[in-house]
């Protein structure tokens, strides 16, 4: 994460600059930012993010109501999971081709590292499941953490006032 800290800061700054008028912070900032970061770590591109978010929402929908969802919703989630698996399979195959040609070092992103080590540790199905799980869990949980953290701060206005008076408190507040 430290190696892409500046890139994350740039992404956040760009997303914040686009916020104008009435905004939905979850939809406009706190969902795309973690998705972009986790997507980058897993080797996707920014243009892939809307699909990754759509797939993640559908997969997480399986767990609504304690998993007691409608058949239609379950079938939709399964279709989205299959789309996501096909996408991840393409990413994996691209890394495998790079590995075979000697151009994959293994530290380009998390997926490259997994592919570089896969013969020793992961089956194809385990690799695919790991990457899908990392995206779905990494992006959704961070979105909820950020949203709930922001809500907690907004419910306690003195926290913002303290941060304005003493900016050195900001890292503690974020933590």
């Amino acid at each position: 994460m430290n190696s892409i800290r500046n890139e994350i800061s740039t992404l956040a700054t760009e997303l914040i600059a686009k916020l104008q008028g009435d905004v939905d912070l979850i939809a406009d900032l706190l969902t795309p930012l973690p998705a972009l970061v986790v997507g980058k770590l897993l080797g996707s591109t920014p243009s892939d993010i809307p699909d990754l978010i759509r797939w993640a929402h559908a997969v997480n929908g399986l767990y609504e109501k304690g998993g007691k969802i409608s058949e239609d919703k379950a079938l939709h989630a399964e279709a989205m999971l299959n789309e996501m698996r096909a996408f991840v399979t393409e990413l994996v195959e691209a890394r495998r081709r790079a590995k075979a040609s000697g151009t994959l070092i293994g530290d380009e992103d998390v997926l490259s590292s997994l592919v570089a080590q896969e013969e020793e540790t992961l089956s194809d199905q385990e690799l695919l499941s790991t990457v899908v799980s990392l995206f779905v869990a990494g992006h959704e949980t961070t979105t909820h953490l950020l949203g709930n953290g922001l809500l907690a701060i907004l419910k306690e206005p003195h926290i913002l006032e303290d941060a304005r008076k003493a900016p050195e408190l900001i890292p503690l507040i974020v933590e």
Side-chain angles (χ1 to χ4, degrees), residues 87-109:
F87 171 78
V88 171
T89 298
E90 290 176 26
L91 292 178
V92 168
E93 290 304 319
R95 298 313 184 284
R96 286 178 175 155
R97 286 189 299 275
K99 181 180 175 185
S101 70
T103 59
L104 179 68
I105 299 168
D107 62 357
E108 290 87 357
D109 51 51

Side-chain angles (χ1 to χ4, degrees), residues 5-19 28-29 33 36:
R5 182 176 300 276
N6 289 338
E7 192 168 351
I8 294 169
S9 180
T10 299
L11 285 170
T13 301
E14 289 171 357
L15 287 170
I16 290 168
K18 292 178 184 175
L19 300 177
D28 299 332
L29 177 63
L33 181 59
L36 286 161

Side-chain angles (χ1 to χ4, degrees), residues 39-134:
K40 176 170 181 46
L41 289 172
L42 296 176
S44 66
T45 65
S47 64
D48 301 325
I49 298 306
D51 282 335
L52 287 164
I53 291 170
R54 181 173 54 86
W55 296 327
H57 285 316
V59 171
N60 280 327
L62 290 170
Y63 304 103
E64 292 175 5
K65 301 177 185 176
K68 296 177 182 177
I69 59 173
S70 71
E71 182 180 346
D72 287 344
K73 191 161 192 166
L75 291 171
H76 174 71
E78 182 179 10
M80 295 300 98
L81 184 56
N82 287 335
E83 283 184 24
M84 189 174 194
R85 284 182 176 147
F87 171 78
V88 171
T89 298
E90 290 176 26
L91 292 178
V92 168
E93 290 304 319
R95 298 313 184 284
R96 286 178 175 155
R97 286 189 299 275
K99 181 180 175 185
S101 70
T103 59
L104 179 68
I105 299 168
D107 62 357
E108 290 87 357
D109 51 51
V110 173
L111 182 57
S112 296
S113 297
L114 289 169
V115 168
Q117 300 298 318
E118 74 177 307
E119 286 113 16
E120 301 167 20
T121 57
L122 298 171
S123 69
D124 285 352
Q125 193 58 41
E126 290 169 329
L127 176 63
L128 190 60
S129 294
T130 298
V131 174
V132 168
S133 295
L134 284 172

